[in-house]
Amino acid sequence: MWFGLRVFKRMTLQWTAVALFLYAEIAFILILCLPLLSAQRWQKIFKWNIWSVMSPYWNRFFFAMILILIVLFLDALREVRKYSAEEASTDSQLHPNFSDHVHMMLFRAQRNLYISGFSLFHWLIMRRIITLIHQVALAEGTGAALQAQAEGANQAAKKYMEENQKLKDSLQEQESAKSVRAQLMRQEVESATKDLKAADDALRRSRTEVEAVKKQAQGLTREYDRLLKEHQILQQNLYNGSEDKKDQ
């Protein structure tokens, strides 16, 4: 802690701000990487009104910070090269105080180079993490919607299959009922055919009997006529015999 305070005391205002910005970036990235907060929850947090108000200025601020960090990084790199060249050209035995000063300035330049470089790197990483969280949230939402749609389709398919099975069962029942009715009708037709055949046979027998009765009636009629003639002849003979006796 005391080392950090001494470092901040020796740092200029701009590099102090960059170091604080780096620490804030690290803390925010660690918070983003916490497994307790899912992508969907971060998506809800990013949809707050405060972010919608800041969204028009976000891209400008992002690119402005990139430019500032790049400028600071290049400035620190220039100072590192400058003090590295001075350190190589300085004789530490002839100018010990100047050599210590060069070492200190080189250390500060390297420190500033690391701070600006890591700040730029974490700034880009943070933007990428936020983008990935947004994409993961969208993918999860799309996956949930597709899953719900797939479940709905499965339920609809099951419902259609059940209805199709019911239709098949009803068709089978109708076909079985039709087959039963057809069997009954076939039996009724066979029974009616047998009855018609029996009636036809009975009609034929009755016709035969009627013909026999007619023939018998005709024979009786002829026999009656013959007997009637014989009776008339006998009566005539009797009448003639009685007339002959009267005459005698």
Side-chain angles (χ1 to χ4, degrees):
M1 181 175 179
W2 289 104
F3 176 75
L5 291 175
R6 289 197 301 268
V7 169
F8 280 125
K9 287 180 181 179
R10 294 178 182 178
M11 293 172 64
T12 59
L13 182 61
Q14 61 179 7
W15 291 110
T16 303
V18 174
L20 292 175
F21 183 72
L22 175 61
Y23 295 151
E25 285 178 332
I26 294 172
F28 187 68
I29 290 173
L30 290 176
I31 293 172
L32 289 175
C33 295
L34 287 177
L36 299 177
L37 298 175
S38 62
Q40 293 289 337
R41 194 167 297 176
W42 277 114
Q43 185 72 6
K44 292 179 181 178
I45 293 173
F46 292 149
K47 288 183 179 180
W48 288 353
N49 293 329
I50 185 172
W51 302 114
S52 62
V53 172
M54 294 175 59
S55 59
Y57 308 101
W58 167 247
N59 289 327
R60 296 178 184 177
F61 177 72
F62 176 76
F63 289 112
M65 286 302 300
I66 287 178
L67 291 177
I68 292 172
L69 292 174
I70 289 174
V71 170
L72 293 174
F73 179 78
L74 294 176
D75 182 64
L77 182 62
R78 180 185 60 79
E79 289 185 355
V80 168
R81 290 182 178 179
K82 172 184 175 182
Y83 292 114
S84 296
E86 290 182 359
E87 182 185 16
S89 62
T90 303
D91 191 355
S92 59
Q93 293 180 356
L94 296 177
H95 305 281
N97 294 328
F98 183 73
S99 179
D100 293 337
H101 177 72
V102 170
H103 280 293
M104 183 183 66
M105 297 302 295
L106 180 60
F107 170 76
R108 289 183 179 179
Q110 291 175 348
R111 179 200 61 194
N112 295 336
L113 179 66
Y114 296 148
I115 290 173
S116 60
F118 280 111
S119 297
L120 179 61
F121 176 73
H122 285 92
W123 185 245
L124 296 174
I125 290 295
M126 185 175 63
R127 174 64 179 270
R128 184 58 179 169
I129 289 174
I130 294 173
T131 303
L132 290 176
I133 288 173
H134 179 67
Q135 292 177 357
V136 169
L138 290 177
E140 289 180 355
T142 305
L146 291 176
Q147 186 177 0
Q149 187 176 0
E151 290 178 356
N154 290 329
Q155 292 178 358
K158 289 180 180 179
K159 184 178 179 181
Y160 293 150
M161 290 176 66
E162 291 177 356
E163 291 179 354
N164 191 11
Q165 188 65 32
K166 289 180 180 178
L167 290 175
K168 287 182 179 179
D169 295 338
S170 63
L171 287 175
Q172 289 178 357
E173 292 177 357
Q174 291 178 2
E175 289 178 357
S176 61
K178 287 181 180 179
S179 63
V180 171
R181 287 197 296 270
Q183 186 69 24
L184 293 174
M185 291 178 65
R186 193 179 297 111
Q187 292 177 357
E188 290 177 357
V189 169
E190 291 177 356
S191 177
T193 304
K194 290 180 182 179
D195 294 339
L196 287 174
K197 187 175 181 181
D200 191 15
D201 294 338
L203 182 62
R204 287 179 182 178
R205 286 195 299 269
S206 63
R207 286 179 180 177
T208 303
E209 292 176 356
V210 168
E211 291 292 333
V213 170
K214 283 182 179 180
K215 289 180 181 180
Q216 187 177 3
Q218 289 176 0
L220 290 174
T221 301
R222 287 193 297 269
E223 184 67 22
Y224 177 75
D225 292 338
R226 185 181 64 78
L227 290 174
L228 183 61
K229 288 179 181 181
E230 289 179 357
H231 179 69
Q232 289 176 357
I233 293 171
L234 287 173
Q235 284 183 351
Q236 187 67 32
N237 290 329
L238 288 174
Y239 179 74
N240 292 328
S242 63
E243 290 290 333
D244 290 335
K245 287 181 179 182
K246 290 180 178 182
D247 290 336
Q248 291 178 359

